[in-house]
Amino acid sequence: MSDDVSDQKKPKLIVVVAFDRGEDGELFTAYGPTDQQSEDRAIRTAKALASNHVGVIARSRDANAALGDYGPPTVLFTNGDVPDME
């Protein structure tokens, strides 16, 4: 027997973040994190940002913001230098 709740599509938190390097050599957030409407949109945005920043990442995770419940992140696209984002 299937559980109707588990069969429903879960909401996702989908974000893109771009990074640059400061004079001290440390990475800093240059863009984002910005919410995206879809995973495809996040990948397109990240690819567009990749040529202008030292690093960019697009990722998604299942999210129930009302409960503060977030699943593990899934990397959709990464390019260049990005910090460890656990």
Side-chain angles (χ1 to χ4, degrees):
M1 183 179 245
S2 96
D3 179 37
D4 290 338
V5 173
S6 65
D7 290 344
Q8 292 176 358
K9 187 174 181 179
K10 293 181 180 177
K12 288 195 175 211
L13 175 63
I14 307 167
V15 297
V16 172
V17 186
F19 301 92
D20 285 334
R21 200 170 289 284
E23 290 180 15
D24 61 358
E26 295 293 317
L27 290 173
F28 67 90
T29 302
Y31 173 89
T34 60
D35 292 331
Q36 302 294 309
Q37 295 293 325
S38 70
E39 291 179 347
D40 288 338
R41 171 79 181 205
I43 292 168
R44 286 193 308 272
T45 301
K47 286 181 177 180
L49 291 167
S51 63
N52 297 319
H53 299 281
V54 298
V56 63
I57 187 168
R59 65 184 192 161
S60 70
R61 64 190 334 173
D62 291 335
N64 185 335
L67 298 176
D69 185 25
Y70 298 94
T74 300
V75 174
L76 305 171
F77 175 85
T78 186
N79 185 72
D81 296 334
V82 296
D84 185 19
M85 301 183 71
E86 289 186 24

